[in-house]
Amino acid sequence: MNDGHFSTTHAGDTINAALNRVLAEIKAFLPTMTDFHAAKYVRALDFAQRQVAATVERSPDYFPIYTVSGRWNHPGELWTDWTGGFFAGLMWQFFNRTADPAWRTRAEHYSRLLEHRQHDRNVHDLGFIFLNTYQPWYEWTHDERLHEVLIQAGRTLAMRFRERGQYLCSFIGPESLFIDIMMNVPIIFYAARETDDAELRRIGTAHCRTTRDHLVRPDGSTAHEGIFDVETGRFLRQSTHQGLRADSNWARGLAWSLYGYSQVYALTGDREHLDVAERNADFWLTHLPKDHVPYWDFAADLAAPLPWGPQKDSSAAAIAASGLLDLERQTTDVARAVAYRQTALAMLDALVEPEYLASETPGAEGILKHGVYHTAKNLGVDESVMWGDFFFVEALTKVVHPQE
Ligand code: GLY
Protein backbone atom coordinates (compact mmCIF):
# COMPACT_ATOMS: atom_id res chain seq x y z
CA MET A 1 0.00 0.00 0.00
CA ASN A 2 1.15 3.53 -0.74
CA ASP A 3 -0.98 6.58 0.11
CA GLY A 4 -4.00 4.34 0.15
CA HIS A 5 -3.16 2.97 -3.31
CA PHE A 6 -1.63 -0.37 -4.20
CA SER A 7 1.91 -0.17 -5.51
CA THR A 8 2.19 -0.81 -9.25
CA THR A 9 5.84 -1.88 -9.13
CA HIS A 10 6.69 -5.38 -10.29
CA ALA A 11 8.56 -6.61 -7.25
CA GLY A 12 8.05 -10.27 -8.05
CA ASP A 13 5.46 -12.84 -8.93
CA THR A 14 4.67 -13.74 -5.35
CA ILE A 15 3.91 -10.17 -4.32
CA ASN A 16 1.93 -9.59 -7.51
CA ALA A 17 -0.11 -12.73 -7.00
CA ALA A 18 -0.87 -11.70 -3.42
CA LEU A 19 -1.80 -8.18 -4.48
CA ASN A 20 -4.07 -9.52 -7.19
CA ARG A 21 -5.86 -11.76 -4.69
CA VAL A 22 -6.42 -8.84 -2.32
CA LEU A 23 -7.49 -6.63 -5.22
CA ALA A 24 -10.04 -9.20 -6.37
CA GLU A 25 -11.44 -9.44 -2.84
CA ILE A 26 -11.73 -5.67 -2.50
CA LYS A 27 -13.29 -5.32 -5.95
CA ALA A 28 -16.02 -7.71 -4.84
CA PHE A 29 -17.14 -4.95 -2.45
CA LEU A 30 -17.29 -2.23 -5.11
CA PRO A 31 -20.63 -0.41 -5.38
CA THR A 32 -23.25 -2.72 -6.77
CA MET A 33 -26.56 -1.81 -8.29
CA THR A 34 -29.79 -1.71 -6.41
CA ASP A 35 -32.65 -3.68 -7.95
CA PHE A 36 -34.31 -0.34 -8.65
CA HIS A 37 -31.42 0.83 -10.83
CA ALA A 38 -30.98 -2.55 -12.48
CA ALA A 39 -34.64 -2.54 -13.52
CA LYS A 40 -34.16 0.89 -15.12
CA TYR A 41 -31.15 -0.37 -17.07
CA VAL A 42 -33.05 -3.42 -18.30
CA ARG A 43 -36.01 -1.24 -19.34
CA ALA A 44 -33.62 1.05 -21.23
CA LEU A 45 -32.11 -1.96 -23.05
CA ASP A 46 -35.57 -3.24 -23.97
CA PHE A 47 -36.47 0.22 -25.26
CA ALA A 48 -33.22 0.32 -27.27
CA GLN A 49 -34.11 -2.96 -28.97
CA ARG A 50 -37.56 -1.65 -29.93
CA GLN A 51 -36.07 1.55 -31.37
CA VAL A 52 -33.53 -0.29 -33.54
CA ALA A 53 -36.14 -2.81 -34.73
CA ALA A 54 -38.45 0.07 -35.69
CA THR A 55 -35.64 1.81 -37.62
CA VAL A 56 -34.88 -1.38 -39.56
CA GLU A 57 -38.57 -1.76 -40.37
CA ARG A 58 -38.98 1.88 -41.38
CA SER A 59 -35.81 2.21 -43.50
CA PRO A 60 -34.42 -1.16 -44.60
CA ASP A 61 -30.66 -1.25 -45.30
CA TYR A 62 -30.23 2.33 -44.11
CA PHE A 63 -27.34 3.18 -41.75
CA PRO A 64 -28.33 6.08 -39.46
CA ILE A 65 -25.77 8.69 -38.34
CA TYR A 66 -27.58 11.54 -36.60
CA THR A 67 -31.20 12.61 -36.37
CA VAL A 68 -32.78 15.82 -37.62
CA SER A 69 -35.69 16.83 -35.38
CA GLY A 70 -35.51 13.34 -33.89
CA ARG A 71 -35.69 11.44 -37.23
CA TRP A 72 -32.87 9.35 -38.71
CA ASN A 73 -33.51 9.19 -42.42
CA HIS A 74 -32.72 12.57 -44.00
CA PRO A 75 -30.41 13.84 -46.74
CA GLY A 76 -28.14 15.75 -44.31
CA GLU A 77 -24.37 15.87 -44.86
CA LEU A 78 -22.31 12.86 -43.61
CA TRP A 79 -19.09 14.86 -43.23
CA THR A 80 -17.43 11.44 -43.22
CA ASP A 81 -18.91 7.95 -43.48
CA TRP A 82 -17.84 6.27 -40.26
CA THR A 83 -20.82 4.95 -38.28
CA GLY A 84 -22.15 1.84 -40.07
CA GLY A 85 -20.50 -0.48 -37.56
CA PHE A 86 -22.49 1.02 -34.72
CA PHE A 87 -25.90 0.21 -36.18
CA ALA A 88 -24.92 -3.36 -37.14
CA GLY A 89 -23.01 -3.58 -33.85
CA LEU A 90 -26.17 -2.80 -31.87
CA MET A 91 -27.79 -5.81 -33.54
CA TRP A 92 -24.86 -8.04 -32.48
CA GLN A 93 -25.18 -6.75 -28.92
CA PHE A 94 -28.90 -7.54 -28.92
CA PHE A 95 -28.22 -11.02 -30.27
CA ASN A 96 -25.58 -11.60 -27.58
CA ARG A 97 -28.05 -10.43 -24.96
CA THR A 98 -31.18 -12.27 -26.09
CA ALA A 99 -30.00 -15.15 -28.33
CA ASP A 100 -32.97 -14.22 -30.52
CA PRO A 101 -32.16 -15.53 -34.04
CA ALA A 102 -33.99 -12.57 -35.61
CA TRP A 103 -31.26 -10.28 -34.24
CA ARG A 104 -28.58 -12.54 -35.63
CA THR A 105 -30.16 -12.53 -39.08
CA ARG A 106 -30.33 -8.72 -39.06
CA ALA A 107 -26.81 -8.42 -37.64
CA GLU A 108 -25.32 -10.66 -40.33
CA HIS A 109 -27.22 -8.88 -43.08
CA TYR A 110 -26.16 -5.37 -42.00
CA SER A 111 -22.57 -6.52 -41.35
CA ARG A 112 -22.35 -8.00 -44.84
CA LEU A 113 -23.38 -4.63 -46.27
CA LEU A 114 -20.20 -3.19 -44.71
CA GLU A 115 -17.76 -5.88 -45.90
CA HIS A 116 -16.40 -3.87 -48.85
CA ARG A 117 -15.21 -1.20 -46.39
CA GLN A 118 -12.30 -3.50 -45.40
CA HIS A 119 -10.46 -1.91 -48.35
CA ASP A 120 -11.66 1.66 -47.71
CA ARG A 121 -8.63 3.96 -47.67
CA ASN A 122 -10.68 7.15 -47.37
CA VAL A 123 -11.52 6.92 -43.67
CA HIS A 124 -9.62 6.30 -40.44
CA ASP A 125 -12.63 4.52 -38.89
CA LEU A 126 -12.12 0.86 -39.78
CA GLY A 127 -11.92 -0.14 -36.11
CA PHE A 128 -15.35 1.34 -35.47
CA ILE A 129 -16.75 -0.45 -38.51
CA PHE A 130 -15.24 -3.93 -38.12
CA LEU A 131 -14.52 -4.52 -34.42
CA ASN A 132 -18.22 -4.05 -33.64
CA THR A 133 -19.46 -6.32 -36.44
CA TYR A 134 -17.04 -8.87 -37.89
CA GLN A 135 -15.38 -9.46 -34.53
CA PRO A 136 -18.57 -10.61 -32.73
CA TRP A 137 -19.59 -12.51 -35.86
CA TYR A 138 -16.20 -14.25 -35.98
CA GLU A 139 -16.37 -15.03 -32.26
CA TRP A 140 -19.69 -16.81 -32.79
CA THR A 141 -18.60 -18.81 -35.83
CA HIS A 142 -14.80 -19.05 -36.01
CA ASP A 143 -15.28 -18.77 -39.75
CA GLU A 144 -11.83 -18.05 -41.21
CA ARG A 145 -13.33 -15.85 -43.93
CA LEU A 146 -14.61 -13.40 -41.28
CA HIS A 147 -11.22 -13.44 -39.58
CA GLU A 148 -9.58 -12.48 -42.87
CA VAL A 149 -11.91 -9.48 -43.24
CA LEU A 150 -10.88 -8.24 -39.77
CA ILE A 151 -7.19 -8.67 -40.55
CA GLN A 152 -7.54 -6.94 -43.91
CA ALA A 153 -9.31 -4.01 -42.25
CA GLY A 154 -6.39 -3.70 -39.80
CA ARG A 155 -3.89 -3.78 -42.67
CA THR A 156 -5.87 -1.19 -44.65
CA LEU A 157 -5.97 1.19 -41.67
CA ALA A 158 -2.21 0.73 -41.19
CA MET A 159 -1.67 2.11 -44.72
CA ARG A 160 -2.52 5.54 -43.28
CA PHE A 161 0.77 5.48 -41.34
CA ARG A 162 3.13 8.39 -41.97
CA GLU A 163 6.75 7.44 -41.27
CA ARG A 164 7.50 11.17 -41.16
CA GLY A 165 5.65 12.05 -37.99
CA GLN A 166 4.89 8.45 -36.84
CA TYR A 167 1.08 8.61 -36.91
CA LEU A 168 -1.96 7.32 -38.77
CA CYS A 169 -3.36 10.32 -40.59
CA SER A 170 -7.01 11.33 -40.41
CA PHE A 171 -9.40 11.45 -43.36
CA ILE A 172 -8.72 15.21 -43.55
CA GLY A 173 -5.26 14.67 -45.08
CA PRO A 174 -1.68 13.52 -44.51
CA GLU A 175 -0.89 16.44 -42.17
CA SER A 176 -3.71 15.63 -39.75
CA LEU A 177 -3.80 13.37 -36.66
CA PHE A 178 -7.15 12.94 -34.87
CA ILE A 179 -7.70 11.83 -31.26
CA ASP A 180 -10.62 9.70 -32.61
CA ILE A 181 -8.11 7.34 -34.23
CA MET A 182 -7.25 6.00 -30.76
CA MET A 183 -10.55 4.07 -30.89
CA ASN A 184 -9.63 2.62 -34.30
CA VAL A 185 -5.98 1.68 -33.79
CA PRO A 186 -7.09 -1.40 -31.79
CA ILE A 187 -7.93 -3.15 -35.08
CA ILE A 188 -4.26 -2.82 -36.07
CA PHE A 189 -3.18 -4.42 -32.77
CA TYR A 190 -5.83 -7.09 -33.28
CA ALA A 191 -4.50 -7.90 -36.77
CA ALA A 192 -0.92 -7.82 -35.42
CA ARG A 193 -1.79 -10.29 -32.66
CA GLU A 194 -3.74 -12.65 -34.91
CA THR A 195 -0.98 -12.80 -37.55
CA ASP A 196 2.01 -12.18 -35.27
CA ASP A 197 2.97 -9.23 -37.48
CA ALA A 198 5.68 -7.13 -35.82
CA GLU A 199 5.37 -4.39 -38.43
CA LEU A 200 1.69 -3.81 -37.64
CA ARG A 201 2.55 -3.75 -33.93
CA ARG A 202 5.30 -1.18 -34.58
CA ILE A 203 2.85 1.06 -36.45
CA GLY A 204 0.16 0.79 -33.76
CA THR A 205 2.62 1.50 -30.94
CA ALA A 206 4.18 4.48 -32.75
CA HIS A 207 0.73 5.97 -33.37
CA CYS A 208 -0.24 5.65 -29.69
CA ARG A 209 3.00 7.27 -28.56
CA THR A 210 2.71 10.17 -31.04
CA THR A 211 -0.89 10.78 -29.94
CA ARG A 212 0.16 10.65 -26.29
CA ASP A 213 3.03 13.07 -26.86
CA HIS A 214 1.16 15.65 -28.97
CA LEU A 215 -2.58 15.41 -28.29
CA VAL A 216 -2.81 14.22 -24.66
CA ARG A 217 -1.85 17.02 -22.29
CA PRO A 218 -0.13 16.56 -18.91
CA ASP A 219 -3.47 17.06 -17.07
CA GLY A 220 -5.07 14.25 -19.12
CA SER A 221 -7.16 16.53 -21.33
CA THR A 222 -6.91 16.10 -25.10
CA ALA A 223 -6.76 18.16 -28.28
CA HIS A 224 -8.92 16.97 -31.17
CA GLU A 225 -6.29 17.30 -33.90
CA GLY A 226 -2.55 17.63 -34.39
CA ILE A 227 -1.08 19.25 -37.50
CA PHE A 228 2.30 18.04 -38.79
CA ASP A 229 4.71 19.26 -41.45
CA VAL A 230 4.34 16.52 -44.06
CA GLU A 231 7.85 17.08 -45.44
CA THR A 232 9.75 16.83 -42.17
CA GLY A 233 7.19 15.09 -39.92
CA ARG A 234 7.63 17.83 -37.34
CA PHE A 235 4.64 18.47 -35.07
CA LEU A 236 3.37 22.03 -35.70
CA ARG A 237 0.30 22.67 -33.52
CA GLN A 238 -2.91 21.43 -31.93
CA SER A 239 -6.15 22.15 -33.77
CA THR A 240 -9.84 21.16 -33.80
CA HIS A 241 -12.81 20.51 -36.04
CA GLN A 242 -15.49 19.42 -33.57
CA GLY A 243 -14.28 21.07 -30.38
CA LEU A 244 -14.42 24.70 -29.25
CA ARG A 245 -10.78 25.65 -29.75
CA ALA A 246 -7.37 24.13 -30.47
CA ASP A 247 -6.50 24.41 -26.78
CA SER A 248 -9.89 23.29 -25.42
CA ASN A 249 -11.03 19.78 -24.54
CA TRP A 250 -13.74 18.40 -26.84
CA ALA A 251 -15.64 16.01 -24.56
CA ARG A 252 -16.07 13.20 -27.05
CA GLY A 253 -12.41 13.37 -28.02
CA LEU A 254 -11.43 12.80 -24.40
CA ALA A 255 -13.83 9.86 -24.22
CA TRP A 256 -12.30 8.36 -27.40
CA SER A 257 -8.84 8.68 -25.88
CA LEU A 258 -9.77 7.19 -22.51
CA TYR A 259 -11.51 4.20 -24.06
CA GLY A 260 -9.03 3.82 -26.93
CA TYR A 261 -5.93 3.62 -24.70
CA SER A 262 -7.81 1.20 -22.45
CA GLN A 263 -8.55 -1.04 -25.43
CA VAL A 264 -4.95 -0.90 -26.61
CA TYR A 265 -3.85 -1.91 -23.11
CA ALA A 266 -6.29 -4.84 -23.24
CA LEU A 267 -4.76 -6.00 -26.53
CA THR A 268 -1.10 -5.46 -25.68
CA GLY A 269 -0.72 -5.62 -21.91
CA ASP A 270 1.67 -2.65 -22.22
CA ARG A 271 1.31 -0.55 -19.09
CA GLU A 272 2.22 2.71 -20.89
CA HIS A 273 -1.22 2.71 -22.53
CA LEU A 274 -3.06 2.13 -19.26
CA ASP A 275 -1.19 5.12 -17.81
CA VAL A 276 -2.60 7.40 -20.53
CA ALA A 277 -6.15 6.06 -20.10
CA GLU A 278 -5.91 6.71 -16.35
CA ARG A 279 -4.65 10.24 -16.98
CA ASN A 280 -7.65 10.86 -19.28
CA ALA A 281 -9.95 9.41 -16.63
CA ASP A 282 -8.49 11.74 -13.98
CA PHE A 283 -9.49 14.74 -16.09
CA TRP A 284 -12.93 13.26 -16.83
CA LEU A 285 -13.74 12.53 -13.20
CA THR A 286 -12.63 15.93 -11.93
CA HIS A 287 -14.40 18.03 -14.59
CA LEU A 288 -17.87 16.47 -14.97
CA PRO A 289 -20.77 18.80 -14.17
CA LYS A 290 -23.16 17.98 -11.33
CA ASP A 291 -25.56 15.85 -13.39
CA HIS A 292 -22.60 13.72 -14.62
CA VAL A 293 -23.26 14.39 -18.33
CA PRO A 294 -20.58 16.57 -19.93
CA TYR A 295 -21.12 19.64 -22.03
CA TRP A 296 -19.92 19.15 -25.61
CA ASP A 297 -16.57 20.77 -24.75
CA PHE A 298 -15.11 21.05 -21.26
CA ALA A 299 -14.16 24.68 -22.06
CA ALA A 300 -17.62 25.68 -23.37
CA ASP A 301 -18.70 29.09 -22.11
CA LEU A 302 -21.96 28.26 -20.33
CA ALA A 303 -23.10 31.87 -20.71
CA ALA A 304 -22.76 31.73 -24.51
CA PRO A 305 -25.81 31.07 -26.72
CA LEU A 306 -26.46 27.58 -28.07
CA PRO A 307 -25.05 25.63 -29.80
CA TRP A 308 -21.69 26.98 -28.53
CA GLY A 309 -22.80 27.35 -24.92
CA PRO A 310 -24.30 24.86 -22.45
CA GLN A 311 -25.04 22.06 -24.93
CA LYS A 312 -24.72 18.56 -23.46
CA ASP A 313 -23.21 15.65 -25.41
CA SER A 314 -24.86 12.47 -24.12
CA SER A 315 -22.76 10.40 -26.53
CA ALA A 316 -19.54 11.45 -24.80
CA ALA A 317 -21.02 10.28 -21.49
CA ALA A 318 -22.03 6.93 -23.00
CA ILE A 319 -18.56 6.30 -24.49
CA ALA A 320 -16.79 7.27 -21.28
CA ALA A 321 -19.14 5.12 -19.17
CA SER A 322 -18.31 2.07 -21.25
CA GLY A 323 -14.59 2.85 -21.16
CA LEU A 324 -14.57 3.43 -17.41
CA LEU A 325 -16.26 0.08 -16.81
CA ASP A 326 -13.31 -1.56 -18.57
CA LEU A 327 -10.75 0.63 -16.82
CA GLU A 328 -12.29 -0.35 -13.50
CA ARG A 329 -11.20 -3.92 -14.18
CA GLN A 330 -7.82 -2.96 -15.60
CA THR A 331 -6.51 -0.59 -12.97
CA THR A 332 -4.39 -1.96 -10.16
CA ASP A 333 -5.41 0.93 -7.91
CA VAL A 334 -8.44 0.16 -5.77
CA ALA A 335 -9.36 3.81 -5.16
CA ARG A 336 -9.40 4.40 -8.91
CA ALA A 337 -11.46 1.26 -9.53
CA VAL A 338 -14.12 2.47 -7.09
CA ALA A 339 -14.17 5.97 -8.60
CA TYR A 340 -14.39 4.65 -12.19
CA ARG A 341 -17.35 2.42 -11.39
CA GLN A 342 -19.18 5.05 -9.35
CA THR A 343 -18.77 7.61 -12.13
CA ALA A 344 -19.82 5.18 -14.87
CA LEU A 345 -22.96 4.25 -12.92
CA ALA A 346 -23.72 7.90 -12.13
CA MET A 347 -23.53 8.75 -15.84
CA LEU A 348 -25.74 5.81 -16.78
CA ASP A 349 -28.20 6.71 -14.01
CA ALA A 350 -28.55 10.14 -15.63
CA LEU A 351 -28.86 8.73 -19.15
CA VAL A 352 -31.67 6.26 -18.32
CA GLU A 353 -33.90 9.12 -17.13
CA PRO A 354 -36.41 10.69 -19.58
CA GLU A 355 -34.27 13.84 -19.79
CA TYR A 356 -31.84 11.81 -21.91
CA LEU A 357 -33.60 8.55 -22.80
CA ALA A 358 -36.02 9.07 -25.69
CA SER A 359 -38.59 6.61 -24.29
CA GLU A 360 -41.09 9.33 -23.39
CA THR A 361 -40.47 11.59 -26.38
CA PRO A 362 -43.15 11.04 -29.02
CA GLY A 363 -41.74 10.61 -32.53
CA ALA A 364 -38.09 10.28 -31.41
CA GLU A 365 -36.38 7.54 -33.42
CA GLY A 366 -33.10 7.34 -31.52
CA ILE A 367 -32.35 5.91 -28.09
CA LEU A 368 -30.52 8.80 -26.40
CA LYS A 369 -31.37 12.46 -26.84
CA HIS A 370 -29.02 15.46 -26.50
CA GLY A 371 -26.03 14.20 -28.46
CA VAL A 372 -23.86 16.33 -30.72
CA TYR A 373 -22.12 15.45 -33.98
CA HIS A 374 -20.46 18.62 -35.31
CA THR A 375 -21.14 21.99 -33.69
CA ALA A 376 -19.25 24.21 -36.17
CA LYS A 377 -21.06 22.63 -39.11
CA ASN A 378 -24.35 22.56 -37.17
CA LEU A 379 -24.78 18.83 -37.91
CA GLY A 380 -26.67 16.70 -35.40
CA VAL A 381 -26.57 19.25 -32.59
CA ASP A 382 -28.86 18.33 -29.67
CA GLU A 383 -29.97 15.19 -31.55
CA SER A 384 -29.61 11.42 -31.30
CA VAL A 385 -26.31 10.16 -32.70
CA MET A 386 -25.65 6.55 -33.65
CA TRP A 387 -22.43 6.17 -31.63
CA GLY A 388 -24.16 7.51 -28.53
CA ASP A 389 -26.85 4.84 -28.87
CA PHE A 390 -24.23 2.14 -29.46
CA PHE A 391 -21.99 2.89 -26.48
CA PHE A 392 -24.97 3.50 -24.20
CA VAL A 393 -26.25 -0.01 -24.96
CA GLU A 394 -22.72 -1.42 -24.63
CA ALA A 395 -22.23 0.19 -21.20
CA LEU A 396 -25.65 -0.88 -19.89
CA THR A 397 -25.00 -4.41 -21.13
CA LYS A 398 -21.65 -4.54 -19.31
CA VAL A 399 -23.47 -3.71 -16.06
CA VAL A 400 -26.57 -5.87 -16.52
CA HIS A 401 -24.78 -8.88 -18.05
CA PRO A 402 -21.21 -8.77 -16.66
CA GLN A 403 -18.76 -11.16 -18.34
CA GLU A 404 -16.18 -12.90 -16.24
N1 GLY B 1 -15.39 12.18 -36.00
C1 GLY B 1 -15.82 11.24 -35.05
C2 GLY B 1 -16.70 11.84 -34.04
O1 GLY B 1 -17.56 12.64 -34.38
O2 GLY B 1 -16.57 11.55 -32.88
Side-chain angles (χ1 to χ4, degrees), residues 147-162:
H147 197 218
E148 280 164 15
V149 172
L150 279 161
I151 290 162
Q152 180 57 52
R155 291 193 172 129
T156 303
L157 181 59
M159 292 176 199
R160 305 192 74 79
F161 190 67
R162 308 277 311 168

Side-chain angles (χ1 to χ4, degrees), residues 324-341:
L324 286 172
L325 289 168
D326 286 2
L327 265 186
E328 178 219 336
R329 298 160 78 102
Q330 293 173 321
T331 186
T332 52
D333 180 325
V334 175
R336 283 181 188 279
V338 172
Y340 295 163
R341 185 168 184 84

